[in-house]
Amino acid sequence: MTATPHVTPPELVRLEPDQYGQKHPVENEKIIAQGLALLEEEIAKLPEEKKEGIRQAEERYPELAKSDEHKLMFLRCEQFNADLAAKRFAKYWNKRIELFGDKAFEPLTLDKALRDDEAALSNGFIRLMPTKDNTGRPIIWIDPSFLDDTKYTRESMARALIYIAHAALEEESAQQKGVIFMCYNGNNPKFEQIDRQLITLLAGALTGVMPLRVSALYILHTPFLFNVLANVLMFFLGEKLQKRIRILPNKVKEIVERLEASGIGLAT
């Protein structure tokens, strides 16, 4: 059975695959305009029940939901496949409303939509690093040793993830080329800290929902419970991204050398 081709601008050109196997579209004003027009057509084709979140967002937060800048993030995430971008756009607003309630229609800032999530944001489990790789990809740092479900709710941590993802997406390079996740296990997280329900919730808030393309996952310092973590993280990323997982040796010198060879210089 032949797969149905995706809906893309007719003159779209993609570059050769990069080190993570990603083929990035060549953007210009014409391609962006065509992509946005196709996206509107594909959104219109979606079943009404799947567009409920979009409808609410356009009514209550039109300055964001109707903006080309906002929709362009979804096109870039799906490499200008307008049909996939439309589905992601709909899922995004449905999930945002599910997690934030009425605050979904407020700016994702610390004093607005995230005003009740200080504990999750300051926890240290998920952080946006000041360092980028040599192509401009932001780096999101994960440290499971900070997991402590007595200090935050799972929903609050999911909102924190969405906030950090949007902070990364403020960089146009992140929209175009994706981000890198680094999972650091050097603080020896305990088995009982691994909250599978939380990881499932985070996966549901990110995979196929956020306009965020994960270029690679680097796993640093593999502890004794590595197999458990690996299985959880595989689910978190999805099948297509499993090829981009890079497990680094435990010696600091070797980690630094491998990262530098991949175009990542860690700030000291």
Side-chain angles (χ1 to χ4, degrees):
M1 183 176 179
T2 304
T4 303
H6 293 301
V7 179
T8 61
E11 299 177 21
L12 183 69
V13 174
R14 291 189 173 93
L15 299 174
E16 291 298 311
D18 65 12
Q19 64 171 314
Y20 302 120
Q22 295 181 320
K23 296 181 178 181
H24 303 293
V26 178
E27 293 185 19
N28 55 48
E29 290 183 3
K30 183 177 181 180
I31 292 298
I32 290 174
Q34 290 177 344
L36 289 170
L38 289 172
L39 177 58
E40 294 296 341
E41 293 176 7
E42 293 302 312
I43 291 174
K45 295 177 185 177
L46 295 174
E48 290 302 318
E49 64 272 15
K50 294 185 181 296
K51 294 190 289 185
E52 177 58 24
I54 297 175
R55 184 192 65 76
Q56 291 186 45
E58 289 181 343
E59 288 181 359
R60 302 182 62 180
Y61 200 0
E63 60 270 32
L64 177 65
K66 292 185 176 182
S67 71
D68 287 345
E69 291 79 9
H70 181 60
K71 292 176 180 177
L72 182 57
M73 291 195 299
F74 294 86
L75 274 174
R76 284 171 167 162
C77 179
E78 296 291 359
Q79 299 182 305
F80 280 79
N81 293 311
D83 52 324
L84 298 180
K87 294 175 182 177
R88 186 178 288 264
F89 186 60
K91 289 178 181 178
Y92 169 85
W93 277 107
N94 289 337
K95 181 61 68 173
R96 180 161 164 162
I97 294 168
E98 175 188 330
L99 288 173
F100 285 86
D102 286 340
K103 290 184 290 185
F105 311 111
E106 298 179 13
L108 293 182
T109 59
L110 300 179
D111 61 335
K112 297 291 185 180
L114 281 296
R115 59 184 175 270
D116 299 320
D117 299 303
E118 181 180 356
L121 286 164
S122 61
N123 168 264
F125 170 55
I126 305 174
R127 287 178 285 169
L128 179 62
M129 301 296 286
T131 305
K132 301 181 182 68
D133 79 352
N134 60 1
T135 69
R137 288 185 178 96
I139 297 169
I140 295 177
W141 185 268
I142 300 174
D143 187 341
S145 71
F146 284 98
L147 287 172
D148 183 352
D149 60 8
T150 67
K151 297 180 178 179
Y152 51 79
T153 66
R154 296 185 178 106
E155 292 74 17
S156 183
M157 186 59 75
R159 292 192 291 271
L161 171 63
I162 290 174
Y163 169 79
I164 290 168
H166 272 287
L169 287 166
E170 290 181 4
E171 298 281 349
E172 188 176 62
S173 58
Q175 299 176 26
Q176 295 171 326
K177 297 181 179 180
V179 303
I180 292 170
F181 277 77
M182 285 194 183
C183 182
Y184 176 74
N185 303 295
N187 289 325
N188 298 316
K190 298 177 182 178
F191 181 83
E192 57 267 23
Q193 285 183 280
I194 307 305
D195 185 344
R196 294 189 181 185
Q197 292 184 54
L198 172 63
I199 300 302
T200 299
L201 182 62
L202 296 182
L206 180 67
T207 308
V209 177
M210 283 294 298
L212 186 78
R213 191 146 38 103
V214 180
S215 295
L217 167 67
Y218 287 80
I219 300 178
L220 315 181
H221 295 290
T222 55
F224 74 96
L225 74 166
F226 169 72
N227 287 334
V228 175
L229 276 175
N231 288 332
V232 170
L233 289 167
M234 289 287 192
F235 175 70
F236 181 63
L237 291 176
E239 293 182 6
K240 291 183 179 180
L241 297 175
Q242 291 177 14
K243 298 177 181 178
R244 298 171 188 159
I245 294 177
R246 301 192 176 188
I247 303 170
L248 304 190
N250 287 340
K251 293 182 179 180
V252 173
K253 182 180 179 181
E254 293 180 15
I255 289 175
V256 172
E257 289 175 350
R258 291 276 295 274
L259 291 175
E260 288 180 346
S262 298
I264 303 170
L266 295 180
T268 57

